Amino acid sequence: MELIINHTRKIFEIPPRNLEALLIMEMSQKKNGIAVAVNNRIVPRSSWPETILKDKDSILIITATQGG
């Protein structure tokens, strides 16, 4: 499966079963302060487990940072 994550193409031999699984793979440490869009649509955190990913989906992961 090919996914575009933050504008970078990634190939998965064993594809993640849903958006939540992908985020666990990609963001193992960070759990709070994350916003995610799949194909330019924001996906609420409550929908991550039931959001099934398809080949060539584009995922944008945004993390909050502190600073001024």
Side-chain angles (χ1 to χ4, degrees):
M1 170 185 273
E2 178 182 326
L3 297 173
I4 309 300
I5 302 172
N6 289 353
H7 309 290
T8 302
R9 182 176 153 251
K10 283 190 98 171
I11 304 290
F12 293 88
E13 287 188 32
I14 301 172
R17 66 183 179 279
N18 56 30
L19 180 57
E20 184 175 56
L22 174 70
L23 293 171
I24 289 169
M25 292 167 62
E26 294 293 309
M27 311 283 297
S28 60
Q29 300 291 333
K30 186 109 169 120
K31 301 216 191 270
N32 295 320
I34 298 174
V36 181
V38 177
N39 300 322
N40 296 318
R41 292 181 182 256
I42 297 291
V43 180
R45 182 180 293 265
S46 61
S47 297
W48 292 357
E50 57 264 0
T51 302
I52 305 301
L53 300 173
K54 297 174 210 72
D55 191 44
K56 308 268 195 259
D57 274 350
S58 177
I59 295 101
L60 182 62
I61 304 169
I62 300 169
T63 57
T65 59
Q66 291 181 321

